[in-house]
């Protein structure tokens, strides 16, 4: 991924972003930039962090050990990005990420 090419050892994750893939990039960027928590520097977003054009089934075979769960566990904030098309919680990964965030008492915003 682009993120790993720039930072092979990764960066500390302040903000975990969950979204439904139903929004366009302009809607996504607008919502993220307008809801970015003060003090957050680095974010994890699957579309920018995971190799989207490869088979990632081995990365998600154990959801608790997935890149999603690890990034969420290390973050202090979770940003749930709504969209005009559907509830993000119609996607099982978004619901799972919300469960993990709530269980870990993360600061969750939209």
């Amino acid at each position: 991924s682009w993120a790993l090419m720039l930072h092979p050892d990764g960066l500390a994750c302040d903000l975990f972003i969950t979204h439904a893939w139903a929004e366009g990039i302009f809607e996504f960027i607008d919502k993220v930039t307008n809801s970015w928590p003060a003090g957050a520097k680095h974010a994890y977003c699957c579309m920018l962090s995971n190799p989207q054009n490869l088979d990632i089934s081995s990365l998600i075979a154990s959801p608790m050990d997935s890149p999603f769960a690890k990034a969420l566990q290390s973050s202090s904030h979770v940003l749930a990005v709504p969209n005009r098309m559907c509830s993000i919680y119609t996607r099982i990964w978004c619901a799972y990420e919300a469960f993990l965030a709530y269980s870990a008492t993360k600061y969750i915003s939209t």
Side-chain angles (χ1 to χ4, degrees):
S1 71
W2 178 252
L4 288 176
M5 287 183 355
L6 291 179
H7 305 282
D9 297 326
L11 295 169
C13 179
D14 304 309
L15 176 62
F16 182 92
I17 300 171
T18 184
H19 69 110
W21 290 91
E23 68 282 341
I25 191 65
F26 295 113
E27 180 181 10
F28 176 82
I29 293 295
D30 183 54
K31 296 210 171 142
V32 169
T33 56
N34 285 307
S35 300
W36 191 276
K41 293 183 180 180
H42 306 122
Y44 173 92
C45 183
C46 60
M47 71 177 169
L48 301 173
S49 303
N50 294 335
Q52 298 300 320
N53 59 342
L54 301 177
D55 178 6
I56 64 166
S57 58
S58 64
L59 294 176
I60 60 174
S62 172
M64 280 298 286
D65 298 320
S66 69
F68 303 92
K70 289 178 181 178
L72 195 148
Q73 289 166 359
S74 71
S75 70
S76 55
H77 292 77
V78 174
L79 177 58
V81 179
N83 67 76
R84 295 177 292 131
M85 304 301 288
C86 66
S87 167
I88 67 169
Y89 304 111
T90 59
R91 294 197 66 239
I92 191 71
W93 273 104
C94 294
Y96 180 63
E97 291 161 355
F99 165 76
L100 290 179
Y102 180 79
S103 297
T105 62
K106 303 290 182 179
Y107 179 80
I108 304 168
S109 60
T110 57

